[in-house]
Amino acid sequence: MSDGTGILVPEVDGTRGTSVFGRAVVGDALRGADPVGATAVARETNWRRGYLTHFHRLVEAGIPDADTAVGMARDGLVSVQRRMRATTDDGEVALVDLLGSVRPALPLRSQTVEGGAEPETELTLPYDGRRLRGEELRDRLHTWTAAGVLEPGAEQAVVKVMDHPEWLSMPGRTLVTLGAASEMGPLHSILRWGGHVAALDLPRPELWREVLTLASDSAGKLTYPVADTAAGEVAGADLLHDLPQVTDWIARQPGHLVLGNYLYADGAVNLRLAAAADALTSHLQRTRGDLSMAWLATPTDIFVVPREAVEASTAAYERRTPLRRLRPVGRAVSGGRLLQRNYAPDEDPGINDSVVPQQGPNYLLAKRIHRWRAIAARAEGVRVSMNVAPPTRTRSVLKNRLLASAYAGSHRFGVTVFAPATSATLMAALLVHDLYADPAPQPSPWQEEAVRAVHGGLWRTGYDPRSALGIAVVLGLGSGRG
């Protein structure tokens, strides 16, 4: 699971099991708002199979009251930081105590690359082999809204950025990208628009060759960390093993910081990264007043959705399509599990469950840590950008044969899967909007998450996504063979 050093899940009965940790954190988050739900978590004997029920309760318990949702978020974050461990020269400490007690022995230095290209001063979107701009881009956004691919607030936000191209270079702000080389991250866009990025990623030479080449060919400025080692200068740093050094380096960056978390790894490492990044985020929030925060929410999660999405889904379910003729057969052979409704017709609000169980509880908890921090920080007056990103054909998706096939067949259910460049640029535009547009606070945390969601149609399709997954996989495999 790990090399036994750095940021680690706690040891219980001689093992560092993520299931024990995940169950404890979810229980702690629920205890104040839903004691019965917390008891059910404690009684769960098979976390890897039963976790979805409890993540549903995390969402449901926060619907009626915004203060309850904020309280659950804070309780969950406290649990993560107190339970997660960090190794030091003097032994293990709770993660919450690491950054206040350990000073970096060898601080990271900064180096900067400035590109010589002219900055783009108009928002354009790569799509289907072209770059959309002006009215063509507005038409595409409107088409996506009409098709239920994104929520109306997302279209409105991107159009506002089009009307304010002076925002694109992020004047007065430095974007700190954790996971700079992420396919879904905003690095390419912000550098193309002439912004300043402080980039953090693993110390891998091939990764940094690509990032530094991109920066030198761009219109922006890239600052990155360098460590002095016995082998010479090394670009990058490892968040799991160099958290005090990374935190110190970020804290020394100039300007109003926008801390963007685009980290991803497989399995338990993803959960450890989420906890490490959250400790960094919490520390910077306490020590720097000029801090904004940014994440991308995954569409394969559980979200509360507005009545309008439920109504659109109900209409799609009742529409006469070839899939409608398959419903009786599908239900008969699956015991009623296939092609279920996405929502009950009168749900208000609805709950969309687009979780892919194969991604596992560690993935979902890592994403929940991001969502909790966004909720808690927004309640404390921090400017936050966290929007649901669309299903996207990234490398991490395509290496999973089941997900890749499901994405290939998902258009049969009204779901649009995006190319990485389209997703990354669209979400970068929403980031810029959230940083510069006059904030329009929503009544509750779930509405903040929903208002600008680019879910690809998962919220408005007629069918519960998981009940259609198997058919989408089969159709996708057929498409691949074709």
Side-chain angles (χ1 to χ4, degrees), residues 145-230:
T145 302
V149 172
L150 45 77
E151 293 303 293
E155 177 190 356
Q156 295 161 11
V158 177
V159 168
K160 191 156 193 173
V161 174
M162 294 174 68
D163 293 338
H164 290 275
E166 70 275 11
W167 294 346
L168 292 175
S169 63
M170 292 181 55
R173 286 174 166 83
T174 297
L175 174 64
V176 181
T177 56
L178 305 180
S182 165
E183 280 188 275
M184 289 290 290
L187 178 72
H188 290 64
S189 296
I190 302 304
L191 289 177
R192 190 170 63 249
W193 298 333
H196 180 202
V197 177
L200 191 284
D201 216 313
L202 290 168
R204 294 175 178 168
E206 69 281 2
L207 181 156
W208 283 101
R209 278 195 295 271
E210 183 176 339
V211 169
L212 296 180
T213 298
L214 171 70
S216 64
D217 293 339
S218 78
K221 181 168 74 170
L222 181 86
T223 302
Y224 61 100
V226 174
D228 294 314
T229 71

Side-chain angles (χ1 to χ4, degrees), residues 87-102:
T87 59
T88 71
D89 292 341
D90 299 321
E92 280 190 14
V93 298
L95 179 55
V96 70
D97 297 324
L98 175 67
L99 296 179
S101 61
V102 176

Side-chain angles (χ1 to χ4, degrees), residues 25-161:
V25 168
V26 171
D28 289 343
L30 280 170
R31 191 160 291 111
D34 182 2
V36 174
T39 300
V41 171
R43 291 175 176 170
E44 179 62 65
T45 58
N46 191 337
W47 184 247
R48 292 191 177 276
R49 288 183 62 87
Y51 71 96
L52 271 178
T53 297
H54 309 296
F55 275 88
H56 261 275
R57 295 191 82 140
L58 281 175
V59 172
E60 292 166 347
I63 294 175
D65 181 69
D67 290 341
T68 299
V70 173
M72 289 198 315
R74 288 172 174 160
D75 290 345
L77 293 170
V78 167
S79 180
V80 170
Q81 295 301 316
R82 288 181 176 172
R83 292 179 181 277
M84 191 69 80
R85 314 302 293 172
T87 59
T88 71
D89 292 341
D90 299 321
E92 280 190 14
V93 298
L95 179 55
V96 70
D97 297 324
L98 175 67
L99 296 179
S101 61
V102 176
R103 294 186 61 82
L106 295 173
L108 297 166
R109 294 187 292 107
S110 291
Q111 290 192 1
T112 298
V113 173
E114 294 198 43
E118 287 295 317
E120 294 186 11
T121 57
E122 177 188 20
L123 178 62
T124 65
L125 185 71
Y127 176 75
D128 199 22
R130 299 179 299 117
R131 293 200 78 91
L132 306 183
R133 54 172 35 87
E135 287 306 311
E136 193 175 22
L137 175 52
R138 293 173 191 264
D139 290 345
R140 171 45 50 190
L141 292 167
H142 187 68
T143 297
W144 278 333
T145 302
V149 172
L150 45 77
E151 293 303 293
E155 177 190 356
Q156 295 161 11
V158 177
V159 168
K160 191 156 193 173
V161 174

